[in-house]
Amino acid sequence: RFALISRESPLAAEGPFFEAFLIWWRLLDRTSLEESRPLRLAMEERLAETVLRARAMADSPDQLIRQRALTFLGTALLLDAQSKVARGAHFSAASAARQGHQALSEVLAAQPESADAMFAMGVYNYFADNMPVFVKGLRFFLLIPGGDALLGLSQLERSAQRSRIFGTESLLLLGHIHSGNYEHD
């Protein structure tokens, strides 16, 4: 159905984004890099299409369309960064993370309670704070913003309560975090 949306609405970012997001959930079950590589590359291709469409939408004079575009742009770029890290493409991942964080920060500056933007920013804040110390040190040199695990969990919880687009995904991710004993529930 998402592929149909992609074809029928060639200017909308939602179709390719949700095609990629579906692949991301499938990747959670894959453990080996070789097993996940074809899916990961397919996801990155759909994310690249999302980024192109979202950047075009972000030029809209309508602020609601712009905010929605920046939400999809930031979320797609952060998801792309995560995928590229898994493949070992650290420099391009750093660039995508910076750009994604910037897009979502712009949304949250204009709409601090944007539950949809809180999803991706919550994921970013949580996982950026839980990186190994070595990676956190590299973050400084790569100019990647830091994270805050408690803020990230709070943002995911608010997104789970109020997000039209990412509410269910927020709940699933919180379930994954808490069931994996990453945090005390």
CSV table of all heavy atoms in Angstrom, one decimal, residues 74-116:
chain,number,residue,atom,x,y,z
A,74,GLY,N,13.7,15.1,8.7
A,74,GLY,CA,14.6,14.8,9.8
A,74,GLY,C,14.5,13.3,10.2
A,74,GLY,O,15.5,12.7,10.5
A,75,THR,N,13.3,12.8,10.2
A,75,THR,CA,13.2,11.4,10.6
A,75,THR,C,13.9,10.5,9.6
A,75,THR,O,14.6,9.5,9.9
A,75,THR,CB,11.7,11.0,10.7
A,75,THR,OG1,11.0,11.9,11.6
A,75,THR,CG2,11.5,9.6,11.2
A,76,ALA,N,13.7,10.8,8.3
A,76,ALA,CA,14.3,10.0,7.2
A,76,ALA,C,15.8,10.0,7.3
A,76,ALA,O,16.5,9.0,7.2
A,76,ALA,CB,13.9,10.4,5.9
A,77,LEU,N,16.4,11.2,7.6
A,77,LEU,CA,17.8,11.4,7.7
A,77,LEU,C,18.4,10.7,8.9
A,77,LEU,O,19.5,10.1,8.8
A,77,LEU,CB,18.2,12.9,7.7
A,77,LEU,CG,18.1,13.6,6.3
A,77,LEU,CD1,18.1,15.1,6.5
A,77,LEU,CD2,19.2,13.2,5.4
A,78,LEU,N,17.7,10.7,10.0
A,78,LEU,CA,18.2,10.0,11.2
A,78,LEU,C,18.1,8.5,11.0
A,78,LEU,O,19.0,7.8,11.4
A,78,LEU,CB,17.4,10.4,12.4
A,78,LEU,CG,17.7,11.8,12.9
A,78,LEU,CD1,16.8,12.1,14.2
A,78,LEU,CD2,19.1,12.1,13.2
A,79,LEU,N,17.1,8.0,10.3
A,79,LEU,CA,17.0,6.6,10.0
A,79,LEU,C,18.1,6.2,9.1
A,79,LEU,O,18.7,5.1,9.2
A,79,LEU,CB,15.6,6.3,9.5
A,79,LEU,CG,15.1,4.9,9.4
A,79,LEU,CD1,15.2,4.2,10.8
A,79,LEU,CD2,13.7,4.8,8.9
A,80,ASP,N,18.4,7.0,8.1
A,80,ASP,CA,19.4,6.8,7.1
A,80,ASP,C,20.8,6.8,7.8
A,80,ASP,O,21.6,5.9,7.6
A,80,ASP,CB,19.4,7.9,6.0
A,80,ASP,CG,20.3,7.5,4.9
A,80,ASP,OD1,20.2,6.4,4.3
A,80,ASP,OD2,21.1,8.4,4.5
A,81,ALA,N,21.0,7.7,8.8
A,81,ALA,CA,22.2,7.7,9.5
A,81,ALA,C,22.4,6.4,10.3
A,81,ALA,O,23.5,5.8,10.3
A,81,ALA,CB,22.3,8.9,10.5
A,82,GLN,N,21.4,5.9,10.9
A,82,GLN,CA,21.5,4.7,11.7
A,82,GLN,C,21.9,3.5,10.8
A,82,GLN,O,22.7,2.7,11.1
A,82,GLN,CB,20.2,4.4,12.4
A,82,GLN,CG,20.2,3.1,13.2
A,82,GLN,CD,19.0,2.3,13.3
A,82,GLN,OE1,18.1,2.4,12.4
A,82,GLN,NE2,18.9,1.4,14.2
A,83,SER,N,21.3,3.5,9.6
A,83,SER,CA,21.5,2.4,8.7
A,83,SER,C,23.0,2.5,8.2
A,83,SER,O,23.7,1.5,8.1
A,83,SER,CB,20.6,2.5,7.5
A,83,SER,OG,20.8,1.4,6.6
A,84,LYS,N,23.5,3.7,7.9
A,84,LYS,CA,24.8,3.9,7.4
A,84,LYS,C,25.9,3.5,8.5
A,84,LYS,O,26.9,3.0,8.2
A,84,LYS,CB,25.0,5.3,6.9
A,84,LYS,CG,24.3,5.5,5.6
A,84,LYS,CD,24.4,6.9,5.0
A,84,LYS,CE,23.7,6.9,3.7
A,84,LYS,NZ,23.6,8.3,3.2
A,85,VAL,N,25.6,3.8,9.7
A,85,VAL,CA,26.5,3.4,10.8
A,85,VAL,C,26.6,1.8,10.8
A,85,VAL,O,27.7,1.3,10.9
A,85,VAL,CB,26.0,3.9,12.2
A,85,VAL,CG1,26.7,3.2,13.3
A,85,VAL,CG2,26.2,5.4,12.3
A,86,ALA,N,25.4,1.2,10.7
A,86,ALA,CA,25.4,-0.3,10.7
A,86,ALA,C,26.3,-0.9,9.5
A,86,ALA,O,26.9,-1.9,9.7
A,86,ALA,CB,24.0,-0.8,10.6
A,87,ARG,N,26.3,-0.1,8.4
A,87,ARG,CA,27.1,-0.6,7.3
A,87,ARG,C,28.6,-0.1,7.3
A,87,ARG,O,29.4,-0.4,6.5
A,87,ARG,CB,26.5,0.0,6.0
A,87,ARG,CG,25.3,-0.7,5.5
A,87,ARG,CD,24.9,-0.4,4.1
A,87,ARG,NE,24.7,1.0,3.8
A,87,ARG,CZ,25.6,1.8,3.1
A,87,ARG,NH1,26.7,1.2,2.6
A,87,ARG,NH2,25.4,3.0,2.8
A,88,GLY,N,28.9,0.7,8.3
A,88,GLY,CA,30.3,1.2,8.5
A,88,GLY,C,30.6,2.5,7.7
A,88,GLY,O,31.7,2.9,7.6
A,89,ALA,N,29.6,3.2,7.2
A,89,ALA,CA,29.7,4.4,6.5
A,89,ALA,C,29.6,5.6,7.4
A,89,ALA,O,28.6,6.3,7.4
A,89,ALA,CB,28.7,4.5,5.3
A,90,HIS,N,30.6,5.7,8.3
A,90,HIS,CA,30.4,6.7,9.5
A,90,HIS,C,30.4,8.1,9.1
A,90,HIS,O,29.7,8.9,9.7
A,90,HIS,CB,31.5,6.4,10.5
A,90,HIS,CG,31.5,5.0,11.0
A,90,HIS,ND1,30.5,4.6,11.8
A,90,HIS,CD2,32.3,3.9,10.8
A,90,HIS,CE1,30.7,3.3,12.1
A,90,HIS,NE2,31.8,2.9,11.5
A,91,PHE,N,31.2,8.5,8.1
A,91,PHE,CA,31.2,10.0,7.7
A,91,PHE,C,29.9,10.4,7.1
A,91,PHE,O,29.3,11.5,7.4
A,91,PHE,CB,32.4,10.3,6.8
A,91,PHE,CG,33.7,10.2,7.6
A,91,PHE,CD1,34.6,9.2,7.3
A,91,PHE,CD2,34.0,11.2,8.6
A,91,PHE,CE1,35.8,9.2,8.0
A,91,PHE,CE2,35.2,11.1,9.3
A,91,PHE,CZ,36.1,10.1,9.0
A,92,SER,N,29.3,9.6,6.2
A,92,SER,CA,28.0,10.0,5.6
A,92,SER,C,26.9,9.8,6.6
A,92,SER,O,25.9,10.6,6.6
A,92,SER,CB,27.7,9.1,4.4
A,92,SER,OG,27.7,7.8,4.6
A,93,ALA,N,27.1,8.9,7.6
A,93,ALA,CA,26.1,8.8,8.7
A,93,ALA,C,26.1,10.1,9.5
A,93,ALA,O,25.1,10.6,9.9
A,93,ALA,CB,26.4,7.6,9.5
A,94,ALA,N,27.3,10.6,9.8
A,94,ALA,CA,27.4,11.8,10.6
A,94,ALA,C,26.7,13.0,9.9
A,94,ALA,O,26.0,13.8,10.6
A,94,ALA,CB,28.9,12.1,10.9
A,95,SER,N,26.9,13.1,8.6
A,95,SER,CA,26.3,14.2,7.9
A,95,SER,C,24.8,14.1,8.0
A,95,SER,O,24.1,15.1,8.2
A,95,SER,CB,26.8,14.2,6.4
A,95,SER,OG,26.1,15.2,5.7
A,96,ALA,N,24.3,12.9,7.7
A,96,ALA,CA,22.8,12.7,7.8
A,96,ALA,C,22.3,12.9,9.2
A,96,ALA,O,21.2,13.5,9.3
A,96,ALA,CB,22.5,11.2,7.4
A,97,ALA,N,23.0,12.5,10.2
A,97,ALA,CA,22.5,12.8,11.6
A,97,ALA,C,22.5,14.3,11.9
A,97,ALA,O,21.5,14.8,12.5
A,97,ALA,CB,23.5,12.1,12.6
A,98,ARG,N,23.5,15.0,11.5
A,98,ARG,CA,23.5,16.5,11.7
A,98,ARG,C,22.3,17.1,11.0
A,98,ARG,O,21.6,17.9,11.6
A,98,ARG,CB,24.8,17.1,11.2
A,98,ARG,CG,25.9,17.1,12.1
A,98,ARG,CD,27.1,18.0,11.6
A,98,ARG,NE,27.5,17.8,10.2
A,98,ARG,CZ,28.3,16.9,9.8
A,98,ARG,NH1,28.9,16.0,10.7
A,98,ARG,NH2,28.6,16.7,8.5
A,99,GLN,N,22.1,16.8,9.7
A,99,GLN,CA,21.0,17.4,9.0
A,99,GLN,C,19.6,17.0,9.5
A,99,GLN,O,18.7,17.8,9.6
A,99,GLN,CB,21.1,16.9,7.5
A,99,GLN,CG,22.3,17.5,6.8
A,99,GLN,CD,22.4,16.9,5.4
A,99,GLN,OE1,21.4,16.9,4.6
A,99,GLN,NE2,23.5,16.3,5.0
A,100,GLY,N,19.5,15.7,9.9
A,100,GLY,CA,18.2,15.3,10.5
A,100,GLY,C,17.9,16.0,11.8
A,100,GLY,O,16.8,16.4,12.1
A,101,HIS,N,18.9,16.1,12.7
A,101,HIS,CA,18.8,16.8,13.9
A,101,HIS,C,18.4,18.2,13.7
A,101,HIS,O,17.5,18.8,14.4
A,101,HIS,CB,20.1,16.6,14.8
A,101,HIS,CG,19.9,17.1,16.2
A,101,HIS,ND1,20.0,18.4,16.5
A,101,HIS,CD2,19.7,16.4,17.3
A,101,HIS,CE1,19.9,18.5,17.8
A,101,HIS,NE2,19.7,17.3,18.3
A,102,GLN,N,19.0,18.8,12.7
A,102,GLN,CA,18.7,20.2,12.4
A,102,GLN,C,17.3,20.4,12.0
A,102,GLN,O,16.6,21.3,12.4
A,102,GLN,CB,19.7,20.8,11.4
A,102,GLN,CG,19.5,22.2,11.0
A,102,GLN,CD,20.5,22.7,9.9
A,102,GLN,OE1,21.3,22.0,9.5
A,102,GLN,NE2,20.3,24.0,9.6
A,103,ALA,N,16.8,19.6,11.1
A,103,ALA,CA,15.4,19.6,10.6
A,103,ALA,C,14.4,19.5,11.7
A,103,ALA,O,13.5,20.2,11.8
A,103,ALA,CB,15.2,18.6,9.5
A,104,LEU,N,14.7,18.5,12.6
A,104,LEU,CA,13.7,18.2,13.7
A,104,LEU,C,13.8,19.3,14.7
A,104,LEU,O,12.8,19.7,15.3
A,104,LEU,CB,14.0,16.9,14.3
A,104,LEU,CG,13.7,15.7,13.4
A,104,LEU,CD1,14.3,14.4,14.0
A,104,LEU,CD2,12.2,15.6,13.2
A,105,SER,N,15.0,19.9,14.9
A,105,SER,CA,15.1,21.0,15.9
A,105,SER,C,14.3,22.2,15.4
A,105,SER,O,13.7,22.9,16.2
A,105,SER,CB,16.6,21.4,16.1
A,105,SER,OG,17.3,20.3,16.7
A,106,GLU,N,14.3,22.4,14.1
A,106,GLU,CA,13.6,23.5,13.5
A,106,GLU,C,12.1,23.3,13.7
A,106,GLU,O,11.3,24.3,14.1
A,106,GLU,CB,13.9,23.7,12.0
A,106,GLU,CG,13.2,24.9,11.4
A,106,GLU,CD,13.6,25.1,9.9
A,106,GLU,OE1,14.7,24.7,9.5
A,106,GLU,OE2,12.8,25.7,9.2
A,107,VAL,N,11.6,22.1,13.5
A,107,VAL,CA,10.2,21.8,13.8
A,107,VAL,C,9.8,22.0,15.3
A,107,VAL,O,8.9,22.7,15.6
A,107,VAL,CB,9.8,20.3,13.4
A,107,VAL,CG1,8.4,20.0,13.8
A,107,VAL,CG2,10.0,20.1,11.9
A,108,LEU,N,10.7,21.5,16.2
A,108,LEU,CA,10.4,21.6,17.6
A,108,LEU,C,10.5,23.1,18.1
A,108,LEU,O,9.9,23.5,19.1
A,108,LEU,CB,11.2,20.7,18.4
A,108,LEU,CG,10.8,19.2,18.2
A,108,LEU,CD1,11.8,18.3,18.8
A,108,LEU,CD2,9.4,18.9,18.7
A,109,ALA,N,11.4,23.9,17.4
A,109,ALA,CA,11.5,25.3,17.8
A,109,ALA,C,10.2,26.0,17.4
A,109,ALA,O,9.7,26.9,18.2
A,109,ALA,CB,12.7,25.9,17.1
A,110,ALA,N,9.6,25.7,16.3
A,110,ALA,CA,8.4,26.3,15.9
A,110,ALA,C,7.1,25.7,16.6
A,110,ALA,O,6.2,26.4,16.8
A,110,ALA,CB,8.2,26.2,14.3
A,111,GLN,N,7.2,24.4,16.8
A,111,GLN,CA,6.1,23.7,17.5
A,111,GLN,C,6.6,22.8,18.5
A,111,GLN,O,6.8,21.6,18.3
A,111,GLN,CB,5.3,22.9,16.5
A,111,GLN,CG,4.7,23.7,15.3
A,111,GLN,CD,4.0,22.7,14.3
A,111,GLN,OE1,4.5,21.7,14.0
A,111,GLN,NE2,2.9,23.2,13.8
A,112,PRO,N,6.9,23.3,19.8
A,112,PRO,CA,7.5,22.5,20.8
A,112,PRO,C,6.8,21.2,21.2
A,112,PRO,O,7.4,20.3,21.7
A,112,PRO,CB,7.6,23.5,22.0
A,112,PRO,CG,7.5,24.8,21.4
A,112,PRO,CD,6.7,24.7,20.2
A,113,GLU,N,5.5,21.2,20.9
A,113,GLU,CA,4.8,20.0,21.3
A,113,GLU,C,4.4,19.1,20.1
A,113,GLU,O,3.5,18.3,20.2
A,113,GLU,CB,3.5,20.4,22.0
A,113,GLU,CG,3.8,21.0,23.4
A,113,GLU,CD,4.6,20.1,24.3
A,113,GLU,OE1,4.2,18.9,24.5
A,113,GLU,OE2,5.6,20.6,24.9
A,114,SER,N,5.2,19.2,19.0
A,114,SER,CA,5.0,18.4,17.8
A,114,SER,C,5.3,16.9,18.2
A,114,SER,O,6.4,16.5,18.2
A,114,SER,CB,5.8,18.9,16.7
A,114,SER,OG,5.7,18.0,15.6
A,115,ALA,N,4.2,16.2,18.4
A,115,ALA,CA,4.4,14.8,18.8
A,115,ALA,C,5.0,13.9,17.7
A,115,ALA,O,5.7,13.0,18.0
A,115,ALA,CB,3.0,14.2,19.2
A,116,ASP,N,4.8,14.3,16.5
A,116,ASP,CA,5.4,13.5,15.4
A,116,ASP,C,6.9,13.8,15.3
A,116,ASP,O,7.7,12.8,15.2
A,116,ASP,CB,4.8,13.9,14.0
A,116,ASP,CG,3.3,13.6,14.0
A,116,ASP,OD1,2.9,12.6,14.6
A,116,ASP,OD2,2.5,14.3,13.3
